[in-house]
Structures are given as C-alpha cells and as structure tokens.
C-alpha cells in the first residue's frame, strides 16, 4: 500500500480524512483510507487495552515482569526536544549529575509502580521513559509534555537544578499515569486533584526509596530545590500546607489545608497548584491514621481510585473523596473506610452519605 | 513601547513570581531598547493569535504579554513549550527583565 509521503497526515481529524476519502482523487483517497484504517486500528486497540487489567495486558504479549527502558537526553540549553541522547538504559553513570539524577529518578519511579502496584511503566504497557535535562536558558521549572519529562537547570539564584528532588521527578511522571488512567482535566478542582495525585505518588516514591514509614516521612515536595538564599524548605508541604516557604521574592506559600481556605482564581489554570493543598492534606491525614508504610494502604486506595472506571475527567474533590472511601472499604475494610472518611472530613469534605 | 509581562503556572504557584511586571522600553539603554524592539518585530508579535490553543501541559508555564507601541496594542497568551525560536527569544528576554525588576528595590 502506498502512503502519503509526509507523516503529518496522521494528525488530521478523522472527519477531514473521511471527506478526502469521499471527494479526493484516487491517490488521495487511497492514502486517506489507509490512514483511517491505521487510525481506527489504533483507536480500537487503545479502547480494548483499557478494558484489560495489567496481568492480562502483559499476558497478551507474553511479558513476565516489567522491564524499564530509560533514555536521558541533553537539550544543551535549547528548547527543542528531546535533544541529544546521552544515557540509554543500562549505560554507566556519566560525569553530568543532572543526567544521572534524571536516570535514577525515572528508575526509582518505575520500580515503585512496578513493585508496589504491579504497574508496568506510565501506561502500564512498558512505556519507554524519556527525559531531557538542561532545557532552556536558566530555566526554573520542570514539566511533563505528554510524552516526556523536561528539566531546567534552575536560575541559580532562587532555584537549583530541577533533577535534585526525587519527588519532583516522580511528580512529573505521575502526570503521565493520571493522563493514562483518570485523565483528570487540568483545570479547577479536577486539575487540583491531578496535581495532588502527582504530589501523593511523588512523595510515596521518595518514601519507598527510603523505606520510610508515614510517621517518619517529611511529606515535603521539592526539598532541596531552593537555593540557600530562599526562606523556605520546599515547594509544598502535605503535612502542613501553606508553610513551605515565606520569602521576600517568592512570596508566601498560598496553599490551603482545608476547604475554608479554598481559593477561587482564574490564574494557574484555576488554582491547580494552590487548592491541591486540600486533597494533599487529606491524603497525609489518611496515611498517618492508617499507619505503617503509606504506600501499602493509603497509597493503594488512592491508586485504585485513580484507576477506577467510575471516576470522571471532571471529578470534583467530593466525587474523588467518595470513591476513595468506597475503595478503602472494598480493598481493606470498615476501619480503613472510617479513617479515610475522617481524613476528608477534617479538610472539610463530606465523603460519605 | 510599553510591555506588560506575567508568568503563570509552573511546578508551583509562587505569588511573588506571578505578579505582572511592566517594562518601559524607552527607559532602557538605547542598545537594549533596540534589541527588545527587534525581538518583538522578529517574533511577529502584533500578528500572533491572542490565545494559545495548546491544551495545558501539566506544570508547564503560560505567559501573558501585552505590548503597546503607541500605535498598536495587543495581548497574547502563550503556553510552554514555545516552538517558535524568535518567540522563545522574546520570552527569555522578558523573563530576565522580570527577574531583574523583582530584584530591584
């Protein structure tokens, strides 16, 4: 079969392809039909895939156990992604600390999801993990672009390199997990839940790497990211939202811990990094109440909620909370159900009845 | 030429970094004034769509830039990652100027 010579064809909407298939010349028709067939196969495959559990998915391909595949790229101060490949899976450590921190952070995150929740990478289908370091010039941020992680070097004044915190690396990768599972929209309460889920598993990856109990963890996100000039310990605190920093340049940590402090704003996609303090604190309270290692009970309940078919992309705090309570009862028992409901009640969210 | 610049979002929402910063180009040293005006011209700023249609990428920033050159006035919102190199140069420069303005007493 002939294909259109340019690969951009696949991003055409199906409606347009159907119109070309109906009205185009012979060559255009064939190419459009070819693309539609591939597209349809991919969509059908994707839909089927999502109906299967992790074990069945792996069984389909005869894969036993999860195998991590990492690629770290150097963007060399440019913003073109991904940059030059500098460390592939299994390659030895490099002289560049950011390359190694990214490599190790991706590995720790992969291992956490595989060991604890039997998840095979971000998409539970062995997705190759990619990250670019040295992105941009004095770039003081890190983000997930839907396909890969991106780390800046920091500005050197307020922020150190963004690979320095394992929980930040795990936070970014968890955006990929959420994008594959609940697909929470990045706006308003659903967006704040999306952010909170990334903080929850960001912190759990760090706790798991340290084999730390809930009561012994710092529950900070991004510790080490600030330079010594900043008055603050981290980007956020799940234990005490609103207390992570208070600095002349950065301002004061604006996160509320309860619904009384809920911030209504259009900035930051509707306050996604602000109001996430509320579900963050609920998770912390649940984890402390349930005791032991936070990933075993509280983490499992949140993970199963993220994967729950009943969760909508536009979920509110209350809808998410109710599902965590139901999953606590389903996967554990009435004591766990009560502990999770009490945690949500303490932040001002009624999750039962 | 007057430029209002605001950065929004990112891995955390810092109140101190999201406050808008105003840059009066005529108050800059002449060479710097020319450089900024040239960046605005090369980015084709006054012909840009006002809203970026990219869906938000988690933790990526967005930038709101309003420029008044005395004859034209336009406000544009951009989301990272910014593909166009000329536009990236403009945003990088404005980000540096915003940093310097915040440090000034």
């Amino acid at each position: 079969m002939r294909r259109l010579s340019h690969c951009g064809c696949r991003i055409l909407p199906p409606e347009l392809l159907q119109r070309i298939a109906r009205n185009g010349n012979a060559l255009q028709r064939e190419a459009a039909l070819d693309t539609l067939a591939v597209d349809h196969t991919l969509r059908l495959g994707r839909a089927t895939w999502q109906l299967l559990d992790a074990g069945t998915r792996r069984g389909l391909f005869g894969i036993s156990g999860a195998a991590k595949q990492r690629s770290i790229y150097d963007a060399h101060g440019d913003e073109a992604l991904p940059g030059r490949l500098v460390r592939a899976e299994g390659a030895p450590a490099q002289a560049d600390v950011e390359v190694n921190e990214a490599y190790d952070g991706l590995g720790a995150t992969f291992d956490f999801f595989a060991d604890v929740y039997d998840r095979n990478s971000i998409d539970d289908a062995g997705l190759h993990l990619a990250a670019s370091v040295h992105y941009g010039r004095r770039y003081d941020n890190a983000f997930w672009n839907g396909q890969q992680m991106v780390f800046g070097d920091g500005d050197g004044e307020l922020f150190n390199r963004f690979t320095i915190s394992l929980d930040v690396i795990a936070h970014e990768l968890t955006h990929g997990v959420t994008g594959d599972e609940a697909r929470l929209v990045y706006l308003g309460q659903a967006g704040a839940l999306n952010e909170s889920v990334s903080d929850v598993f960001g912190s759990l990856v760090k706790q798991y790497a340290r084999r730390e109990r809930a009561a012994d963890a710092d529950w900070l996100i991004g510790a080490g990211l600030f330079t010594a000039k900043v008055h603050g310990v981290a980007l956020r605190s799940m234990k005490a939202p609103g207390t992570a920093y208070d600095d002349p340049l950065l301002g004061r940590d604006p996160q509320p811990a309860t619904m009384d402090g809920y911030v209504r704003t259009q900035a930051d996609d509707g306050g996604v990094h602000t109001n996430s303090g509320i579900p963050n604190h609920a998770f912390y309270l649940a984890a402390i109440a349930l005791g032991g290692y936070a990933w075993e009970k509280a983490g499992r309940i949140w993970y199963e909620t993220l994967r729950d078919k009943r969760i909508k992309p536009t979920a509110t705090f209350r809808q998410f909370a109710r599902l965590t309570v139901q999953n606590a009862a389903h996967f554990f028992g009435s004591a766990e159900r009560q502990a999770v409901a009490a945690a949500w009640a303490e932040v001002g969210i009624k999750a039962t009845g | 030429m007057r430029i209002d610049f605001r950065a929004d979002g990112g891995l955390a929402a810092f109140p101190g970094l999201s406050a808008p910063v105003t840059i009066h180009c005529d108050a800059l040293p002449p060479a710097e004034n020319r450089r900024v005006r040239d960046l605005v011209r090369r980015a084709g700023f006054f012909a840009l769509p006002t809203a970026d249609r990219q869906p938000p990428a988690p933790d990526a920033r967005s930038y709101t830039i309003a420029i008044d050159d005395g004859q034209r006035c336009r406000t544009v919102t951009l989301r990272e990652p910014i593909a166009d190199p000329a536009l990236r140069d403009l945003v990088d420069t404005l980000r540096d100027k915003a940093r310097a303005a915040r440090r000034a007493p």
Side-chain angles (χ1 to χ4, degrees):
Chain A
M1 276 196 295
R2 272 171 302 187
R3 289 173 187 272
L4 284 181
S5 57
H6 62 92
C7 61
C9 188
R10 285 271 297 286
I11 61 167
L12 291 176
E15 298 75 21
L16 183 58
L17 287 168
Q18 281 159 3
R19 207 159 65 225
I20 295 168
R22 278 198 305 272
N23 305 326
N25 64 33
L27 183 61
Q28 288 168 335
R29 266 204 309 277
E30 190 186 333
L33 287 168
D34 184 14
T35 306
L36 276 169
V38 171
D39 203 40
H40 180 69
T41 306
L42 287 174
R43 280 165 205 258
L44 189 65
R46 176 85 190 164
T48 310
W49 190 253
Q50 285 175 342
L51 293 173
L52 305 174
D53 61 43
T56 312
R57 288 176 180 187
R58 284 202 281 282
L60 272 175
F61 290 89
I63 304 165
S64 60
K68 52 182 173 271
Q69 284 297 324
R70 291 165 284 182
S71 297
I72 310 300
Y73 298 84
D74 187 341
H76 284 289
D78 199 355
E79 295 187 18
L81 294 172
R84 188 171 63 87
L85 179 66
V86 286
R87 191 173 175 194
E89 186 63 44
Q94 310 284 303
D96 186 334
V97 67
E98 289 185 49
V99 169
N100 299 329
E101 283 174 344
Y103 184 87
D104 294 342
L106 296 182
T109 308
F110 182 97
D111 290 344
F112 169 81
F113 280 108
D115 297 351
V116 179
Y117 304 126
D118 192 28
R119 185 179 188 87
N120 184 9
S121 192
I122 296 304
D123 59 349
D124 202 10
L127 182 78
H128 195 121
L129 300 176
S132 297
V133 298
H134 303 305
Y135 172 85
R137 195 167 51 82
R138 286 159 45 91
Y139 184 68
D140 51 1
N141 198 23
F143 64 92
W144 166 260
N145 80 344
Q147 279 96 42
Q148 67 157 95
M149 302 187 57
V150 180
F151 296 101
D153 293 338
D155 59 0
E157 289 181 28
L158 299 173
F159 300 100
N160 291 313
R161 62 188 186 274
F162 275 71
T163 51
I164 203 166
S165 293
L166 173 58
D167 44 56
V168 166
I169 296 178
H171 173 107
E172 294 307 326
L173 286 172
T174 304
H175 279 306
V177 175
T178 299
D180 186 65
E181 297 285 0
R183 301 178 182 195
L184 294 162
V185 297
Y186 206 65
L187 189 68
Q189 286 200 7
L193 285 168
N194 191 324
E195 268 303 310
S196 175
V197 164
S198 273
D199 279 353
V200 162
F201 293 104
S203 183
L204 291 183
V205 167
K206 185 169 76 174
Q207 292 175 37
Y208 182 72
R210 297 173 173 181
R211 299 299 191 271
E212 216 168 35
R213 292 179 184 278
D216 301 325
D218 63 15
W219 295 96
L220 295 172
I221 302 298
L225 207 49
F226 291 146
T227 64
K229 292 176 193 164
V230 173
H231 298 269
V233 291
L235 301 176
R236 290 182 280 277
S237 166
M238 299 175 72
K239 182 176 181 177
T243 66
Y245 59 89
D246 189 355
D247 178 81
L249 273 175
L250 294 178
R252 188 175 169 197
D253 178 0
Q255 282 212 315
T258 71
M259 288 301 283
D260 287 342
Y262 187 86
V263 177
R264 291 180 196 283
T265 175
Q266 290 191 342
D268 186 29
D269 295 305
V272 296
H273 292 94
T274 305
N275 291 319
S276 57
I278 298 165
N280 273 1
H281 194 53
F283 180 83
Y284 162 79
L285 292 169
I288 293 296
L290 294 169
Y293 293 116
W295 57 85
E296 288 180 341
K297 285 188 175 178
R300 174 89 194 279
I301 292 163
W302 256 245
Y303 180 69
E304 296 298 344
T305 302
L306 191 65
R307 299 181 66 228
D308 196 314
K309 295 281 179 276
R310 293 170 293 177
I311 193 159
K312 293 178 189 158
T314 53
T316 61
F317 286 177
R318 184 145 188 260
Q319 288 165 345
F320 186 89
R322 288 168 71 98
L323 286 176
T324 61
V325 171
Q326 288 170 27
N327 285 323
H330 178 75
F331 289 97
F332 296 100
S334 65
E336 288 77 4
R337 178 186 184 281
Q338 280 175 24
V340 172
W344 285 109
E346 203 167 327
V347 302
I349 292 167
K350 189 170 183 291
T352 53
Chain B
M1 183 184 281
R2 173 195 158 115
I3 304 177
D4 292 303
F5 175 78
R6 195 179 76 136
D8 197 29
L11 187 56
F14 297 107
L17 301 188
S18 58
V21 171
T22 300
I23 299 146
H24 294 281
C25 292
D26 294 336
L28 297 171
E32 189 61 5
N33 183 3
R34 275 197 301 278
R35 192 176 76 85
V36 173
R37 285 171 185 271
D38 191 48
L39 284 171
V40 171
R41 188 185 53 77
R42 282 199 289 123
F45 183 83
F46 287 100
L48 289 174
T50 54
D52 194 326
R53 290 179 181 271
Q54 283 191 76
D59 298 323
R61 286 213 182 91
S62 67
Y63 301 97
T64 304
I65 306 169
I67 304 184
D68 184 344
D69 72 352
Q71 289 155 349
R72 294 167 297 178
C73 181
R74 192 166 189 82
T75 302
V76 169
T77 300
L78 303 164
R79 284 190 180 277
E80 287 178 332
I82 298 166
D84 178 49
L87 207 46
R88 279 205 310 258
D89 284 348
L90 175 64
V91 170
D92 270 356
T93 297
L94 297 180
R95 218 163 39 198
D96 284 346
K97 301 234 169 287
R99 275 193 193 113
R102 285 193 194 98
R103 276 198 307 270

